[in-house]
Amino acid sequence: MSVTDTAPSPLVVTAPPERFFGYYPGTVAVVTAAHGGDRNVMSAGWHAALSAEPPLYGVAFGRERYTYGLVRASNAFAVHFLPFERADAIAGAGSLSRHDGVDKFEHLGLATSTGRVLDVPILHDAYLAYECLVDAVHTTGDHDFVVGSVVAVHHRPDAFDERRLQDGARVPGVVYYGRSTFEALGSGARGEFTPERYRERR
Amino acid sequence: MSVTDTAPSPLVVTAPPERFFGYYPGTVAVVTAAHGGDRNVMSAGWHAALSAEPPLYGVAFGRERYTYGLVRASNAFAVHFLPFERADAIAGAGSLSRHDGVDKFEHLGLATSTGRVLDVPILHDAYLAYECLVDAVHTTGDHDFVVGSVVAVHHRPDAFDERRLQDGARVPGVVYYGRSTFEALGSGARGEFTPERYRERR
């Protein structure tokens, strides 16, 4: 059928996959939740917008994550995007665990306010934050995929242009490559933030 | 409760959101499917890995998309990531429509081979491709979120380092900002590929 199907593929194939790789580089979401006087923050590499009207945003949570317990108990969470200058906090939110008793907000210097609509911590360092009410939870293999209804959007005005497109020249976003390696959008500047860095600082 | 909750938030909040924005910049997946002698390719900005073991990958499809009909009919699709040098094809796959009768593969110079496990077109220009068997479909607002079981992984060896992390220095990935603007990872080089570009070339 294809005009090009006769050429051999230059790609190496593994089937079944010996290892599932390649889903990075990608942006990292920083997710917060609170319940009954407790709160937490985590980073999430697996996340996506799902619908524009109504606005829906999805995050894949490891079921063992402390934050996920707060999400299920409160039925709410907030999704944030932080600029490259806070890549250290994005990495730290993924390396430290509330299960070890640490207050990650304090430890990482993350100032917060309470959400406008929901009782969720909103990070002041974010250039974008969504307040999300849990709309559905789908078990997907070793994670739960949580669909959130976006009930409020917070943004840092200077991080967006007049069309509300993210202005990477002024406020560079960040992508994660895996293995503690982060890169600034716009310049390609890199930073490595290993888990040891955060554990030593405690 | 918080040590920092007393400071006012520097963020502007809209609730309910007047417009759902900010989900870009992000990587763009290029999705293919085939059924009954027909095939198509589209770009998808809303996608995420969902599980490592078993490997699952999810894509949000507009229900009106031609490719989505092929996905539902065949129960299979392939997810690809292309380097910045093919940002033109990523943009074109999103701007052109099979509903208008165009063979986007031919039009955009996308050579393919058939998948190892599934009858899906695999793009030779990809540095990574997943063959996906449809595992679940969730209606999420104005899109359907399709969970695919990854049954084969194709990769371009020089695009990954010895730990199988994507090597952006050798094969730069691409992020999309919205409004036809693409950026090369690693350098911040930009390209704008407007829909008119593709429609004129037809």
Side-chain angles (χ1 to χ4, degrees), chain B residues 21-46:
Chain B
F21 67 97
Y23 33 74
Y24 296 120
T27 56
V28 183
V30 179
V31 178
T32 60
H35 184 70
D38 197 7
R39 62 180 191 159
N40 202 25
V41 55
M42 60 173 258
S43 53
W46 296 354

Side-chain angles (χ1 to χ4, degrees), chain B residues 77 130 142:
Chain B
F77 61 98
Y130 300 137
D142 55 22

Side-chain angles (χ1 to χ4, degrees), chain A residues 13-200:
Chain A
V13 57
T14 54
E18 62 194 37
R19 183 150 63 102
F20 182 39
F21 67 98
Y23 34 74
Y24 295 121
T27 56
V28 183
V30 178
V31 179
T32 60
H35 183 70
D38 197 7
R39 61 179 194 161
N40 203 26
V41 54
M42 59 173 260
S43 54
W46 296 353
H47 58 91
L50 300 173
S51 169
E53 189 56 53
L56 300 174
Y57 206 91
V59 176
F61 288 90
R63 284 182 283 270
E64 76 290 358
R65 299 291 285 269
Y66 192 94
T67 303
Y68 187 51
L70 299 175
V71 171
R72 294 307 299 269
S74 67
N75 232 29
F77 60 98
V79 175
H80 307 75
F81 295 95
L82 271 60
F84 183 68
E85 62 180 19
R86 290 312 321 265
D88 65 312
I90 301 171
S95 296
L96 297 165
S97 175
R98 181 91 182 103
H99 284 305
D100 301 328
V102 66
D103 181 326
K104 291 198 264 185
F105 298 91
E106 203 170 335
H107 197 77
L108 299 167
L110 288 167
T112 62
S113 296
T114 301
R116 172 74 59 91
V117 178
L118 302 171
D119 182 19
V120 288
I122 299 297
L123 304 174
H124 292 185
D125 284 339
Y127 61 80
L128 177 80
Y130 299 138
E131 293 182 39
C132 294
L133 189 63
V134 172
D135 185 66
V137 177
H138 305 293
T139 297
T140 50
D142 55 22
H143 284 62
D144 274 7
F145 189 68
V146 178
V147 178
S149 174
V150 178
V151 295
V153 177
H154 301 244
H155 77 285
R156 184 175 145 182
D158 68 341
F160 293 86
D161 70 14
E162 67 287 354
R163 297 177 299 180
R164 292 247 172 118
L165 299 188
Q166 207 271 319
D167 188 337
R170 279 193 289 185
V171 181
V174 50
V175 293
Y176 181 59
Y177 275 78
R179 304 270 177 177
S180 311
T181 301
F182 294 81
E183 182 177 290
L185 290 173
S187 68
R190 287 211 173 184
E192 197 179 334
F193 302 93
T194 65
E196 292 69 33
R197 173 191 171 105
Y198 301 95
R199 294 186 188 129
E200 280 164 10

Side-chain angles (χ1 to χ4, degrees), chain B:
Chain B
M1 178 185 76
S2 164
V3 291
T4 52
D5 227 329
T6 48
S9 170
L11 305 175
V12 172
V13 56
T14 53
E18 62 193 38
R19 182 151 64 105
F20 182 39
F21 67 97
Y23 33 74
Y24 296 120
T27 56
V28 183
V30 179
V31 178
T32 60
H35 184 70
D38 197 7
R39 62 180 191 159
N40 202 25
V41 55
M42 60 173 258
S43 53
W46 296 354
H47 58 91
L50 299 172
S51 168
E53 188 55 54
L56 300 174
Y57 207 91
V59 176
F61 288 90
R63 284 183 284 270
E64 76 289 356
R65 301 289 287 265
Y66 193 94
T67 302
Y68 187 52
L70 299 175
V71 172
R72 294 306 299 271
S74 66
N75 232 28
F77 61 98
V79 174
H80 307 75
F81 296 94
L82 270 59
F84 183 69
E85 63 181 19
R86 292 311 324 265
D88 65 313
I90 301 171
S95 296
L96 296 164
S97 176
R98 180 90 182 107
H99 285 303
D100 301 327
V102 64
D103 181 326
K104 291 198 263 185
F105 298 91
E106 202 170 335
H107 198 76
L108 299 167
L110 288 167
T112 62
S113 295
T114 301
R116 173 72 59 90
V117 179
L118 302 171
D119 182 20
V120 287
I122 300 296
L123 304 174
H124 291 186
D125 284 337
Y127 60 80
L128 177 80
Y130 300 137
E131 293 182 39
C132 295
L133 190 62
V134 173
D135 185 66
V137 177
H138 304 294
T139 298
T140 49
D142 55 22
H143 284 62
D144 274 7
F145 190 69
V146 178
V147 178
S149 175
V150 178
V151 296
V153 177
H154 301 243
H155 77 285
R156 184 175 145 183
D158 68 341
F160 294 86
D161 70 15
E162 66 287 354
R163 298 178 297 181
R164 293 245 173 121
L165 298 189
Q166 206 271 319
D167 189 337
R170 279 194 289 186
V171 181
V174 51
V175 293
Y176 182 58
Y177 276 77
R179 303 268 178 178
S180 311
T181 301
F182 294 81
E183 182 177 291
L185 290 173
S187 69
R190 287 211 172 184
E192 197 180 336
F193 302 93
T194 64
E196 292 69 34
R197 174 191 172 105
Y198 301 95
R199 294 187 188 130
E200 279 165 10
R201 274 170 57 190
R202 287 185 58 198

